[in-house]
Amino acid sequence: MSRPRPRRPLPFVAVLVTALLALSIPGANAGSLPWYEQSDPQARDSQVNVSGEPASGTTQDGQVRGLIDAHTHLMSNEGFGGDIVCGETFSEDGIESALVDCDSHGSDGRTALIENLTKLEGKGPFDPHSTQLWPSFEDAPKWSSLTHQQMYYRWVERAWRGGQRIMVADAVNNNILCSLPTQVNKHSCNDMDTVRRQVQETKDLEAFIDERHGGPGKGWFRIAYTPQEARNYIEQGKLAVILGMEISNPFGCGVALGVPKCTKKQIDAGLDEVKNLGIRSMFLCHKFDNALCGVRFDEGTQGVIVNIGNFLNTGSFWQVEQCRTDLHDHTVAGGVVPPDVAKAFPVQVLPVYPEGPHCNKRGLTDLGEYALRGMMDRGMLVELDHQSVKAAKRTMEILESEGYPGVVSSHSWMDKSFTERIYQLGGFVAQYGHDADSFVAEAAAGDDLREEYDVGYGFGMDMNGFGGTPPPRPDADERPLVYPFTPVVGEGSIERQVTGERVWDYNSDGVAHYGMVPDWVEDMRSNGGPAGQEVVEDLLRGPESYLRSWQNTASWEPEQDLTKGARPSASSVQWSLGGAFRAGNAIDDRRNTRWASKWGDDAWWQVEFDTPRQVSRITLDWERAHAEDYRIQTSLDGADWQTVHTVTGSDGGIDTIRIDPTSARQVRLVTDKRATKWGVSLHEVTITS
């Protein structure tokens, strides 16, 4: 084999000529732009108005820093039939094609029924508005307008450049709004069709941004399907996008006059499909009761509208009762429908409800429990918001009984008493994106709890989701947000945002669109005093906390149930033809069977292992006839019993009891006080090490 000749150095003149020739070749200097600037921009587009390289990497101890929006609706213009949220997130034909008003708004906005009914500064159902968006944006987007596109991709880019590192993009729909006789729809109203369409549009946006930045994988917008992928993208300084789902009838699981419209087989097929689509976070119910769970009510006029929607969707109005515990849903209006609302809907009168506080009678159904456990089997994040407190309580009990950390409250739509239980499991909590002062006040109230559990915080802007965004601060003249300001992570400068002929100023416009989120966070940091600075610091730790929850969820496996193969016994068994209530029913993995004692107090149920086992968690799934006061005892010989835990005031449901690891051959439940006139009854008992 011949030896390669040594390469001679090029003379200086040759090097110079080569360099000049290279500069003359079209596209030869395309790589000179920073990676975060577009190498192939559209002819006309929105400005970003942020300078400086996006922060990348992690802290010295490997943690990510930045902001997380745990609840957005990036593609809701593709939902609701495609003609309620006006304007697109992106368009191959440019911004002038993307940011246009809905056809149904007419020439002056007077025919924009949904816009005019929901507008937070509206004057009635025929309130006019300018229907020109690009380039003047005279009347929209605006903090008070709920039907105009607020998440154009360049505005999202500004939020990322301003420090955001995670976005949860929830596919969303409302089949009743979509089905109104006033709607002229472009797309199907079916919830699952909408999910498929919005997920595909999100993937198309990822490819579109890649194209603007030089090709596949080079864009700043990255869909993450695993927590490690999300960490990798954030390490690079990019935005990790997690796909979620928030619809009223997942997998077709509506309900008609109490009859479910889906089966367990459909639920399994639906969960497999959404997991394959890339969805990693999901709500079991949203706005309307369904075959899986009852919902947490809306309040005021919006509550009236949603309750009418519940009737149209299910055949029934919300079933309301006075709450029996400190847990409660929102108080909902009943009786005569307000005239403005009655003009748009065929319902004139609602039921007359009792005095508040109100609770939805409907909780987590058997199908809902099946779907919940299916989500757990697939490692999905369970969104607790929008469940009635009765449903949320049962959901939390099931998650606690399995030690499942994947639970999220993403936009303040749950009873706050669940917050600590979420932290105890290892879940994540975010707060709805209210105005800066209100956000700081509410967030500051939870500082001690976050410090105790060493967790960060998030916000859920619910952008494009009919919830409204922060208005301008009333005292902005006295204490304005000062431009320019620096991003919350990294270096650089953030100026007022400019799109077309419009210059947006947080002091007068509030959060008019998604690009104003960095301005809102800076207002908390610069004008919120020490409390605001502390809240922003907690927000900067939010992505790390979310990723830890997701990582722990992805690696979760159910613990071995020590009762399998063990010998059950009880002090008594309620008589029935065929012996239907025997002790072994409590460990047969079937919730439709149970052990029941004879009527009276002082009953016991126990299980015996072949050899001593280490015991640290006992889960009791009670039937309605539960024990109010009881003890958990252990023994190594069946004669000498030790009380390891005492419970007083149990409200039934699922009780999960954690004890210091204890060696035991027998584990016994001793009831001291029954909660009903009957005996006590257990559907299932599980014991783990």
Side-chain angles (χ1 to χ4, degrees):
M1 187 174 78
S2 61
R3 182 177 299 174
R5 296 179 181 178
R7 196 176 278 181
R8 295 180 180 178
L10 286 172
F12 173 75
V13 174
V15 173
L16 181 60
V17 170
T18 302
L20 290 172
L21 286 172
L23 288 174
S24 68
I25 299 172
N29 63 342
S32 63
L33 286 172
W35 69 268
Y36 48 87
E37 297 290 356
Q38 293 189 7
S39 58
D40 183 21
Q42 292 185 308
R44 289 187 288 184
D45 213 338
S46 173
Q47 299 179 32
V48 175
N49 306 108
V50 180
S51 64
E53 183 174 353
S56 60
T58 59
T59 61
Q60 289 184 345
D61 57 355
Q63 297 188 33
V64 300
R65 276 178 70 80
L67 303 171
I68 172 174
D69 187 341
H71 193 104
T72 68
H73 300 298
L74 184 65
M75 294 296 175
S76 62
N77 56 288
E78 293 291 328
F80 316 105
D83 195 48
I84 288 183
V85 176
C86 311
E88 299 177 352
T89 308
F90 73 105
S91 172
E92 296 283 356
D93 297 324
I95 190 170
E96 61 269 35
S97 174
L99 295 182
V100 294
D101 212 340
C102 290
D103 294 337
S104 60
H105 288 199
S107 60
D108 62 0
R110 293 180 189 273
T111 56
L113 177 65
I114 304 301
E115 164 72 9
N116 296 336
L117 281 175
T118 60
K119 191 173 182 179
L120 301 178
E121 292 179 302
K123 299 177 182 178
F126 305 107
D127 190 19
H129 69 262
S130 169
T131 56
Q132 182 185 39
L133 298 184
W134 169 270
S136 62
F137 302 102
E138 182 180 342
D139 281 336
K142 195 173 186 180
W143 71 268
S144 56
S145 171
L146 306 187
T147 70
H148 290 99
Q149 179 61 252
Q150 294 178 290
M151 297 194 72
Y152 184 64
Y153 87 100
R154 290 285 271 177
W155 298 338
V156 177
E157 182 175 352
R158 187 175 192 267
W160 158 66
R161 291 283 296 274
Q164 189 169 325
R165 290 297 174 265
I166 295 180
M167 171 196 288
V168 180
D170 290 315
V172 68
N173 192 47
N174 186 303
N175 59 302
I176 297 301
L177 282 181
C178 179
S179 302
L180 290 176
T182 56
Q183 289 305 115
V184 180
N185 295 322
K186 303 174 184 176
H187 307 304
S188 163
C189 292
N190 180 274
D191 281 334
M192 293 306 298
D193 286 346
T194 300
V195 168
R196 297 178 191 107
R197 191 166 55 249
Q198 291 185 33
V199 168
Q200 186 57 54
E201 279 292 301
T202 306
K203 294 175 181 179
D204 290 347
L205 173 59
E206 181 182 52
F208 172 84
I209 293 174
D210 279 354
E211 186 179 351
R212 304 278 75 77
H213 289 264
K218 294 187 177 181
W220 52 269
F221 182 97
R222 312 306 309 158
I223 300 174
Y225 300 101
T226 68
Q228 189 55 52
E229 281 186 352
R231 281 194 180 277
N232 293 343
Y233 295 143
I234 297 169
E235 280 267 0
Q236 299 165 23
K238 300 184 179 185
L239 178 69
V241 180
I242 290 92
L243 301 176
M245 186 173 97
E246 183 187 40
I247 57 176
S248 296
N249 303 300
F251 325 129
C253 285
V255 63
L257 296 174
V259 179
K261 294 183 177 180
C262 67
T263 64
K264 291 180 178 179
K265 184 177 180 180
Q266 287 174 271
I267 291 171
D268 282 330
L271 286 170
D272 287 341
E273 180 188 10
V274 298
K275 183 72 182 291
N276 290 334
L277 284 173
I279 289 172
R280 298 295 180 263
S281 179
M282 196 187 94
F283 293 76
L284 287 173
C285 51
H286 174 238
K287 294 302 181 184
F288 306 143
D289 294 340
N290 61 25
L292 308 179
C293 56
V295 294
R296 185 167 171 83
F297 306 138
D298 285 77
E299 297 178 287
T301 300
Q302 184 167 336
V304 171
I305 295 173
V306 178
N307 197 5
I308 294 172
N310 196 80
F311 174 79
L312 297 174
N313 191 59
T314 69
S316 304
F317 292 109
W318 285 328
Q319 300 178 57
V320 176
E321 63 183 358
Q322 282 191 317
C323 302
R324 300 170 184 173
T325 69
D326 291 338
L327 296 172
H328 60 83
D329 295 317
H330 294 134
T331 299
V332 62
V336 179
V337 175
D340 285 352
V341 177
K343 292 177 183 178
F345 294 95
V347 177
Q348 305 295 315
V349 179
L350 297 171
V352 176
Y353 292 128
E355 291 186 7
H358 286 164
C359 281
N360 193 336
K361 291 182 180 179
R362 193 170 179 84
L364 190 68
T365 67
D366 289 343
L367 284 175
E369 292 198 20
Y370 186 83
L372 174 63
R373 294 185 184 277
M375 290 180 68
M376 295 163 65
D377 291 341
R378 292 163 178 83
M380 299 179 70
L381 295 168
V382 178
E383 292 270 9
L384 197 67
D385 287 358
H386 286 296
Q387 292 189 22
S388 68
V389 290
K390 187 174 182 179
K393 177 178 179 292
R394 182 70 182 180
T395 296
M396 288 300 299
E397 288 173 347
I398 291 172
L399 298 177
E400 289 163 341
S401 71
E402 300 284 358
Y404 189 80
V407 57
V408 173
S409 171
S410 60
H411 65 330
S412 302
W413 208 256
M414 69 165 189
D415 190 293
K416 289 187 181 298
S417 63
F418 290 115
T419 302
E420 184 167 10
R421 293 172 67 175
I422 290 177
Y423 287 153
Q424 287 173 338
L425 269 176
F428 182 77
V429 174
Q431 179 183 320
Y432 190 91
H434 296 296
D435 66 90
D437 289 344
S438 298
F439 189 94
V440 168
E442 183 177 337
D447 280 345
D448 291 344
L449 202 57
R450 291 193 295 275
E451 183 177 356
E452 179 181 350
Y453 288 94
D454 189 26
V455 293
Y457 206 38
F459 52 81
M461 296 306 295
D462 201 17
M463 196 76 78
N464 282 356
F466 299 99
T469 52
R473 193 158 24 79
D475 62 346
D477 290 341
E478 288 77 33
R479 51 186 189 111
L481 172 67
V482 177
Y483 292 92
F485 57 88
T486 57
V488 288
V489 290
E491 300 178 352
S493 180
I494 302 179
E495 300 280 358
R496 290 173 178 83
Q497 202 281 313
V498 180
T499 305
E501 300 167 1
R502 186 73 154 84
V503 180
W504 307 92
D505 188 322
Y506 173 81
N507 297 302
S508 55
D509 298 313
V511 179
H513 59 67
Y514 206 72
M516 308 291 288
V517 170
D519 311 51
W520 172 73
V521 174
E522 177 60 26
D523 190 36
M524 288 189 275
R525 182 170 69 167
S526 60
N527 284 316
Q533 294 169 17
E534 187 171 351
V535 167
V536 172
E537 180 58 33
D538 280 354
L539 290 176
L540 292 174
R541 298 174 60 223
E544 178 64 34
S545 286
Y546 184 90
L547 290 175
R548 286 181 183 176
S549 295
W550 191 11
Q551 286 170 322
N552 291 336
T553 302
S555 61
W556 173 86
E557 292 183 359
E559 295 182 9
Q560 180 185 2
D561 183 2
L562 302 179
T563 68
K564 303 314 166 203
R567 293 179 294 278
S569 58
S571 59
S572 64
V573 174
Q574 180 182 324
W575 184 89
S576 69
L577 189 64
F581 303 120
R582 57 184 180 271
N585 290 352
I587 55 172
D588 64 359
D589 283 334
R590 296 167 58 196
R591 250 205 112 247
N592 60 348
T593 64
R594 59 190 174 96
W595 162 70
S597 73
K598 291 181 178 178
W599 292 14
D601 294 318
D602 302 321
W604 57 262
W605 178 96
Q606 75 175 40
V607 67
E608 181 178 354
F609 312 127
D610 288 334
T611 59
R613 307 296 297 271
Q614 195 85 337
V615 172
S616 62
R617 187 172 71 196
I618 303 100
T619 300
L620 308 173
D621 186 353
W622 294 102
E623 196 252 353
R624 181 184 174 190
H626 66 279
E628 184 175 331
D629 301 340
Y630 61 88
R631 290 165 285 146
I632 300 295
Q633 296 182 329
T634 62
S635 175
L636 288 170
D637 58 8
D640 184 17
W641 292 92
Q642 176 186 4
T643 297
V644 294
H645 193 82
T646 300
V647 173
T648 58
S650 171
D651 60 357
I654 298 178
D655 287 345
T656 298
I657 298 151
R658 290 177 173 81
I659 62 174
D660 292 335
T662 301
S663 181
R665 189 173 179 191
Q666 291 93 3
V667 178
R668 175 180 286 188
L669 160 75
V670 180
T671 67
D672 296 317
K673 181 181 179 182
R674 51 190 167 145
T676 68
K677 64 181 180 180
W678 305 291
V680 292
S681 185
L682 284 165
H683 283 297
E684 283 294 311
V685 178
T686 58
I687 301 173
T688 58
S689 297

